[in-house]
């Protein structure tokens, strides 16, 4: 049984790191589950994290790198000697190696590439040339491919001889190329089971395999895997030469990364992952960049109130309804934003269908506006005993609910058509427009009915 | 070239459906990409969607069901004759079949199960007994398993004889069981390549394979796949009998579903997917359920303003700052909520570490509060020419930023510890508490300094 005062495991890790004994560090890391490992290593400061990776063997260091957040892995590897860094990166899958190197400073990445074998450096550079969200950026080079004239016997001999090299390779398919590198067929491993050893793989392969181009978008890749129940797809260049393959799992990970990033952006965490182990000033600066846009928009919206001070002074009770209308319109609008973003990502909505979304939202908006406005009207009436105050507050909320769902439903489509990111900009646009409209409605209707309110 | 007035493809689909000619319908669906198919079919009303599935062959209907949103597939299949529904479900992977049946009304699901073969109904019922987010709910029964005494020759004969049955099976591993059903080993397909036909699979298998229990949680499954670079894992019951396997892809899909659901919930879409093709009243009712909780909380928060009407009446300019403080505190707090939810889901934060999160957030909160409060103070001073008005507005925003990040950072942890869903409840709690505090701070500080403000 652990005593209650046992220090958390990252303190033990720091202690072992001070003594810097490789075998004890490796033995300690062995005792941790992957999630405990991630937790412990992510709690170290940048300096210690780099020292840990350098102190243990490259294969153990690679196992650590696979578990911790990418942003921490990049920072730590940048601080290590290029030779050690190259040895660690060598132990990773090529796609992971490329992801890390692309996020490093150019000079550091080049130094590490120079410390790799020529072949590994060349493959890595070739993969790095693709953006992360196109087919080329999702692909791996760790698959089996052979020239079509090879016999089954030679192929099996090659598999046996290179068993250890191929250990981490994708083996579901074997790609078959022409001597000039063009993809010509695919061979399933179990097709080899029943084949006579002297046959060539050209005779056994499925010819004209499906493939994607290196510049196909992530959505194209998803469409491909939606349509074909395959484990992976080969990628070719514009000369039809085989340049890589994409596993279905790599696509799934990219889609998950994309929705995680969208979640963070809608919540105002912009520019990548924030971890609480990052320096306070860095976290503060990144959050402030987003907040300062919002405060400027808020001041603009609030200036509508400033222009109606006489109405407010006459009926001070109206001030109570300003934040309610602002908040509730935000809630209604955000629901519409979420449904639009979801329908867009499910492919159930085309960015051009602004009119359809607007009609669908307006119907819901009137019903919900009536319900919420009616409720607020009753509360206001009961509070001050003046039915007209209820009418003003209720009407403003009702109308502004319709405005909010109209804006919330359509803005993500318009942003998508403009090539902008709906996750990033929908929220601030929604809030500002609905605040301005809501304040104008409440104070405008109130000034028109002022004699009945005082 | 398409004429510009060409009707969208779902109008064509409706037209063909009126004529109800199976071959023409099937041919038309063939021409659509999976995403176009999803778009078209999702645009039909419930009644037409059910008629479409019944009118085409079960295999084509199953292909449609795989593409459209689950909620629409469930509603449509419920409306079809049980025999036809069973024939369509038969064409699906068992995990998809179970997902759809679990979401149907009990009576309808039973009628469809009764129309299946006894074996299929039994398997389906057994899988349905597990919750969707435990190992049993993620597993498939479509894998190969054989008794350990079988010879390689017999196994290969079985594979050849049943090739068409096994077509959609997971073939990366072959599981080996004892005669009583207990899992005893695993055989990789390529281990069969080099084996003498007369050997038993017991001699070739890797003994004591890794496995998970049927009641392991989704997080346990993720930890397993984090630790082991495997394509799938067998699932056993408490007697160690093999009951299913989980593919890595099934886990990835479950994780994506979970984060999509969290996104919808944080935006106020509660109770599952909303699609704009759903009936307006249903969409309105579900959104209102969430909105009515929020309006109640908003009224509570605004009652703080009602209690300070004299202060407001004396300094009417304060009303301008009420919505600004409410909105900006919401923004700051939401950032902290997002970082906490993200760190929790990455496993970098334990739900018990409330103190650590609070300290980390307070540091950022003071810096950002100073910046935002300072900015607002300058705006207020410039607007009314009164530095004390600036001081009041700035101090209130500064202090409330600290409150907002404290609440936003810690509430997701507290909700998780209480077994509640942080995605659902963090937002409303945050908004209400920060509104109350913000209004109290602004109006409280203002009343204390009233002589300087008027």
């Amino acid at each position: 049984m652990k005593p209650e005062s046992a220090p958390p495991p990252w303190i033990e890790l720091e202690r072992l790191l001070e003594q810097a004994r490789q075998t004890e560090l490796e033995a300690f890391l062995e005792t941790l589950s992957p999630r405990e490992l991630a937790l412990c290593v992510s709690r170290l400061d940048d300096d210690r994290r780099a020292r840990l990776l350098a102190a243990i063997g490259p294969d153990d260091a690679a196992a650590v790198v696979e578990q911790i957040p990418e942003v921490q892995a990049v920072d730590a590897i940048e601080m290590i000697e290029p030779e050690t860094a190259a040895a660690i990166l060598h132990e990773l899958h090529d796609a992971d190696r490329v992801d890390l190197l692309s996020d490093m400073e150019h000079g550091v990445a080049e130094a590490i590439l120079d410390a790799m074998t020529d072949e590994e450096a060349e493959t890595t550079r070739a993969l790095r040339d693709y953006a992360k969200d196109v087919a080329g950026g999702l692909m791996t080079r760790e698959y089996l491919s052979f020239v079509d004239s090879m016999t089954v016997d030679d192929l099996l001999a090659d598999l046996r001889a290179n068993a250890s090299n191929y250990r981490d390779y994708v083996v579901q398919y074997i790609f078959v190329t022409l001597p000039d590198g063009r993809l010509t067929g695919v061979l399933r491993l179990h097709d080899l089971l029943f084949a006579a050893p002297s046959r060539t793989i050209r005779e056994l392969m499925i010819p004209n395999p499906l493939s994607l181009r290196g510049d196909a978008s992530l959505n194209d890749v998803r469409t491909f895997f939606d349509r074909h129940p395959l484990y992976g797809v080969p990628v070719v260049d514009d000369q039809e030469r085989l340049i890589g393959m994409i596993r279905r799992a790599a696509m799934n990970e990219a889609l998950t990364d994309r929705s995680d990033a969208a979640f963070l952006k809608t919540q105002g965490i912009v520019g990548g992952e924030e971890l609480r182990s990052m320096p306070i000033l860095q976290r503060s600066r990144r959050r402030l960049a987003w907040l300062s846009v919002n405060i400027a928009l808020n001041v603009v919206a609030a200036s509508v109130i400033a222009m109606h001070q006489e109405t407010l002074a006459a009926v001070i009770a109206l001030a109570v309804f300003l934040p309610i209308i602002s908040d509730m319109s935000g809630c209604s609008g955000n629901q519409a934003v979420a449904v639009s973003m979801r329908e867009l990502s499910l492919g159930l909505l085309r960015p051009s269908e602004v009119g359809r979304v607007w009609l669908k939202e307006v119907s819901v908006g009137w019903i919900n506006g009536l319900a919420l406005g009616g409720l607020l009207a009753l509360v206001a009436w009961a509070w001050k005993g003046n039915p007209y105050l209820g009418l003003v507050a209720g009407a403003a909320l009702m109308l502004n609910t319709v405005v909010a769902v109209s804006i919330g439903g359509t803005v993500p489509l318009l942003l998508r058509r403009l090539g902008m990111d709906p996750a990033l900009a929908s929220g601030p646009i929604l809030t500002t427009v609905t605040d301005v409209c809501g304040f104008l409605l409440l104070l405008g209707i109130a000034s028109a009915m002022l004699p009945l309110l005082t």
Side-chain angles (χ1 to χ4, degrees), chain A:
Chain A
M1 236 181 84
K2 273 191 198 171
E4 225 176 298
S5 59
W10 52 91
I11 303 294
E12 173 68 6
L13 182 59
E14 285 188 2
R15 201 183 58 77
L16 288 171
L17 199 51
E18 291 315 312
Q19 306 167 352
R21 267 179 297 198
Q22 178 175 353
T23 47
E24 285 181 13
L25 273 171
E26 289 172 0
F28 176 75
L29 293 175
E30 273 291 307
T31 66
L32 300 174
S33 77
R35 282 171 89 83
E36 281 171 340
L37 181 88
L39 179 66
C40 281
V41 178
S42 79
R43 289 291 165 91
L44 299 177
D45 59 33
D46 284 358
D47 198 50
R48 286 207 179 88
R49 198 175 301 119
R51 272 201 287 138
L52 172 69
L53 293 181
I56 58 182
D59 48 345
D60 287 302
V64 170
V65 164
E66 281 172 357
Q67 294 302 332
I68 62 178
E70 195 168 308
V71 54
Q72 289 188 332
V74 167
D75 287 349
I77 295 174
E78 280 187 332
M79 295 167 73
I80 311 181
E81 285 297 305
E83 289 70 26
T84 317
I88 296 171
L89 290 179
H90 172 73
E91 300 290 330
L92 294 173
H93 282 292
D94 55 5
D96 295 335
R97 189 187 309 139
V98 171
D99 282 349
L100 294 175
L101 279 169
S102 335
D103 287 348
M104 290 181 197
E105 279 178 41
H106 184 73
V108 181
E110 288 304 313
I112 297 175
L113 282 162
D114 288 344
M116 292 180 180
T117 64
D118 288 349
E119 192 193 336
E120 189 166 276
E122 192 195 346
T123 309
T124 307
R125 285 200 169 95
L127 289 174
R128 193 182 51 166
D129 286 344
Y130 291 96
K132 282 193 182 182
D133 59 349
V134 302
L138 297 168
M139 70 192 185
T140 173
R141 296 252 174 131
E142 293 164 353
Y143 53 82
L144 302 168
S145 88
F146 298 97
V147 172
D148 64 341
S149 53
M150 213 167 185
T151 62
V152 170
D153 207 30
D154 291 345
L155 197 157
L156 292 177
D158 179 279
L159 290 186
R160 273 184 227 108
N162 291 293
S164 71
N165 290 342
Y166 296 162
R167 195 185 36 154
D168 293 330
Y169 275 36
V170 174
V171 296
Q172 273 76 10
Y173 311 108
I174 296 172
F175 297 119
V176 184
T177 58
L178 297 171
D180 64 3
R182 275 181 298 148
L183 178 70
T184 181
V186 64
L187 199 59
R188 282 167 308 181
L189 198 59
H190 52 278
D191 293 334
L192 287 173
L193 273 170
F194 315 114
S198 61
R199 299 185 69 185
T200 65
I201 57 178
R202 189 188 313 120
E203 300 170 71
L204 296 173
M205 74 185 191
I206 303 165
N208 306 315
L210 298 163
S211 65
L212 286 172
R213 287 292 187 82
D215 55 2
S217 72
L218 177 55
N219 282 337
D220 294 338
V221 177
R222 173 162 66 175
T223 302
F224 179 89
F225 279 113
D226 278 350
R227 193 185 297 227
H228 306 289
L230 300 171
Y231 178 83
V233 57
V235 182
V236 295
D237 66 11
D238 50 12
Q239 315 280 307
E240 300 293 331
R241 281 181 305 231
L242 180 65
I243 55 173
M245 83 164 284
I246 302 175
R247 292 171 306 123
R248 183 183 282 270
M251 173 204 64
N252 280 329
E253 281 160 28
L255 289 173
T256 304
D257 286 352
R258 191 166 72 172
S259 43
D260 286 343
F263 170 71
L264 286 176
K265 280 185 277 190
T266 53
Q267 298 284 101
I269 299 294
V270 175
E273 197 86 72
E274 174 183 323
L275 302 172
R276 291 215 172 82
S277 46
M278 290 176 176
I280 286 173
L281 282 177
Q282 183 189 345
R283 292 169 55 218
S284 165
R285 198 173 53 238
R286 277 180 40 191
R287 289 198 196 178
L288 262 182
W290 170 252
L291 293 172
S292 50
V293 173
N294 277 278
I295 198 169
L297 293 173
N298 256 286
V299 168
V300 170
S303 63
V304 170
I305 309 175
M307 292 186 294
H308 287 79
Q309 283 182 87
E310 307 75 41
T311 312
L312 264 179
V315 192
I316 199 70
L318 289 171
V320 171
F321 300 104
L322 291 170
I324 296 184
I325 287 178
S326 165
D327 274 7
M328 288 311 299
S329 306
C331 285
S332 294
N334 269 327
Q335 290 181 323
V337 168
V339 174
S340 280
M341 288 184 52
R342 190 82 185 118
E343 288 197 327
L344 281 175
S345 95
L346 289 172
L348 302 181
L349 187 60
R350 297 170 173 173
S352 59
E353 297 182 291
V354 174
R356 172 174 188 270
V357 166
W358 184 69
L359 285 174
K360 291 275 182 185
E361 283 301 325
V362 162
S363 323
V364 171
W366 279 113
I367 300 173
N368 291 3
L370 260 171
L372 297 172
L375 193 66
L376 192 64
L378 290 177
V379 169
W381 185 3
W383 175 40
K384 288 287 175 187
N386 182 340
Y388 298 106
L389 183 67
L391 192 65
V392 171
L397 180 55
M398 178 182 73
L399 294 172
N400 211 45
T401 301
V402 179
V403 171
V405 295
S406 303
I407 303 286
T410 56
V411 159
L413 279 70
L414 298 171
L415 288 170
R416 178 63 62 86
R417 288 177 74 178
L418 294 172
M420 293 168 67
D421 185 349
L424 194 60
S426 296
I429 294 176
L430 171 73
T431 313
T432 310
V433 177
T434 55
D435 276 4
V436 168
C437 286
F439 300 153
L440 278 178
L441 282 167
L442 180 75
L443 299 170
I445 300 174
S447 1
M449 293 176 60
L450 210 51
L452 295 167
L453 296 173
T454 47

